[in-house]
Amino acid sequence: MAIPVLDLDSDHIAKELVEAVIKYGFVFIRNRGDVIRPTDLLPAFAMSRSLFATPMQEKEKYKITSNNRGWSSPYTETLDPGQRKADYKEAFNFAEFRDGHAQQPLPPVIVRDEARLGRFASLCHDLCMKLLRLLAQGLEIGERDGGKEWFASRHDPSLGPSGSILRFLYYPSTRSVPDFDREQDVRAGAHTDYGSLTLLFQTKNQPGLEVLIPCYDDDDDDVDRAKRRRQWIPVPTNPPPTERDPDPPILVNVGDLLCFWTDGLFPSVVHRVVVPPSPPAAADEKKEEDDRDPESESESESYRAAHDDDESQKSDHGPDLARYSIAYFCHPADSTHLERVPSRRVHTHRIRGSGDEGDVVAGMVAPTKAITAGKHLTRRLAETYGWKEGS
């Protein structure tokens, strides 16, 4: 029961992507340095580490506000209203860049890298557009109805602002938190993502992400039955066959809006970040070292140089080591009206009863109510931060 690992060079990638998303809502995209290059990814992680290493009083100057930009401190967000306490993590949100320039104040430690940061955000957006076109192609949307551009056209920057966010994430070690209960507390509460697609970039040997995934039996591949039998599973950073790749694969998941557009055919799956239960076995680490592909050795050295400079990483390979990740949340233009995709496959799914008219899908308002992408995002952010809508 593993999240599929796909290669964008596959001859049947559109079909493979759609089938994987329907079953799991998550998919790995293999990255051998050809999807997002190490020369773009590694500096982004280096910026993240520098940013979170700055003093709290400096980061407070960029505290997140209702425009969803800036820094959030530990215990600021409550992604799961049922959790004992708020999320133990830090995050920094960057809104859309225009011509390589941020549309918000940047901390001094990363100001000099503004253009590089903007380029990375642009690469993430371009990858999302490619994936959205593949999904539309796999759904066989007719050319008269928009064809493979059906999703992508709604994410055109010329339509106006969107809620797209590049987010640096830092989960500090829980060792120094005396009241952190590993049995009850989490680093990020159970939630779905608010936009269309999410890209997640992880670092090797920093696990913790879990997904509430459908359970398929060996002799029963029925999607609807599997979705009624779900369980939490840990998500590896380097699933087979990517163990020797220079970078971990990119984890892609469906957000609320794609779930809404497809009437639940593409599920927006609940996920969370926890303190992993046990460290990697020393034997497994040695095997990974022995199995490393010589051709990727130089890239791996660069990777370790960028990711192993945290002192807790050097001294501790235990379960409560720090975790760094980078997420890109792709959203359509705020003014986009949410409507069902004109796809026979979506229509057939609805006829089967999986997306009845009055249902609430992934925390969204019932499909009978008109809503825009911007209004949906405003409502979800208000729930997360305790803000008043429209504030």
Side-chain angles (χ1 to χ4, degrees), residues 19 53 66 83 107 110 242-243 245 253 257 292 295 335 361:
E19 296 306 319
S66 58
Q83 64 196 66
I110 61 171
T242 71
E243 299 96 325
D245 289 354
N253 67 277
L257 302 188
R292 184 174 294 113
E295 293 183 3
S335 59
V361 179

Side-chain angles (χ1 to χ4, degrees), residues 90-369:
E90 294 183 41
F92 202 102
N93 288 5
F94 303 93
E96 294 173 298
F97 286 72
R98 295 177 187 168
D99 300 322
H101 296 290
Q103 303 303 297
Q104 65 193 80
L106 296 179
V109 71
I110 61 171
V111 164
R112 65 181 181 277
D113 292 313
E114 179 180 19
R116 177 171 279 178
L117 190 60
R119 169 179 165 78
F120 182 72
S122 179
L123 291 171
C124 290
H125 178 81
D126 291 346
L127 176 56
C128 286
M129 294 305 99
K130 182 173 185 175
L131 294 171
L132 288 170
R133 290 185 176 99
L134 288 170
L135 289 170
Q137 180 181 338
L139 286 177
E140 299 178 353
I141 300 173
E143 289 300 322
R144 186 174 298 178
D145 291 319
K148 69 177 183 179
E149 297 297 324
W150 198 94
F151 294 122
S153 64
R154 288 156 172 77
H155 297 73
D156 187 337
S158 68
L159 296 177
S162 80
S164 292
I165 288 289
L166 176 66
R167 171 170 252 209
F168 288 170
L169 287 153
Y170 169 51
Y171 303 90
S173 169
T174 58
R175 180 192 297 122
S176 60
V177 185
D179 62 341
F180 190 92
D181 185 338
R182 288 183 54 183
E183 298 301 319
Q184 300 185 66
D185 299 331
V186 294
R187 286 168 154 176
H191 65 285
T192 59
D193 290 345
Y194 311 156
S196 304
L197 284 178
T198 300
L199 308 179
L200 183 69
F201 301 89
Q202 303 183 91
T203 53
K204 290 184 178 180
N205 298 323
Q206 292 187 3
L209 179 66
E210 294 185 340
V211 298
L212 190 60
I213 209 160
C215 299
Y216 292 92
D217 294 335
D218 292 339
D219 57 350
D220 184 1
D221 206 36
D222 184 87
V223 173
D224 292 332
R225 280 195 291 271
K227 287 178 180 177
R228 290 193 289 270
R229 303 187 303 265
R230 300 184 298 168
Q231 67 181 36
W232 287 107
I233 66 163
V235 178
T237 56
N238 280 84
T242 71
E243 299 96 325
R244 296 189 294 173
D245 289 354
D247 291 306
I250 302 164
L251 186 61
V252 180
N253 67 277
V254 169
D256 293 351
L257 302 188
L258 265 184
C259 181
F260 185 92
W261 274 324
T262 61
D263 212 7
L265 180 65
F266 292 170
S268 185
V269 172
V270 176
H271 51 285
R272 66 187 181 186
V273 179
V274 301
V275 177
S278 61
D284 291 341
E285 292 179 2
K286 185 177 187 307
K287 183 178 185 301
E288 180 180 330
E289 184 75 21
D290 293 342
D291 288 347
R292 184 174 294 113
D293 186 350
E295 293 183 3
S296 66
E297 184 66 28
S298 62
E299 300 244 346
S300 297
E301 290 295 339
S302 298
Y303 186 95
R304 289 195 295 274
H307 295 298
D308 288 349
D309 59 352
D310 183 69
E311 287 303 318
S312 66
Q313 294 282 99
K314 291 178 181 179
S315 61
D316 177 30
H317 288 279
D320 41 344
L321 78 169
R323 171 182 164 92
Y324 292 87
S325 61
I326 298 175
Y328 181 78
F329 300 102
C330 182
H331 288 250
D334 289 342
S335 59
T336 301
H337 286 272
L338 304 180
E339 56 188 326
R340 291 190 179 89
V341 179
S343 160
R344 182 179 298 275
R345 185 139 192 200
V346 171
H347 178 72
T348 302
H349 168 75
R350 184 161 176 255
I351 292 300
R352 288 172 57 197
S354 299
D356 297 331
E357 264 300 329
D359 286 352
V360 176
V361 179
M364 296 194 62
V365 297
T368 51
K369 297 180 181 178

Side-chain angles (χ1 to χ4, degrees), residues 46-56 58-59 71 90 109 170 309-310 324:
M47 281 184 264
S48 173
R49 287 177 175 270
S50 297
L51 177 56
F52 290 122
T54 57
M56 287 285 187
E58 178 64 24
K59 290 180 284 192
W71 176 71
E90 294 183 41
V109 71
Y170 169 51
D309 59 352
D310 183 69
Y324 292 87

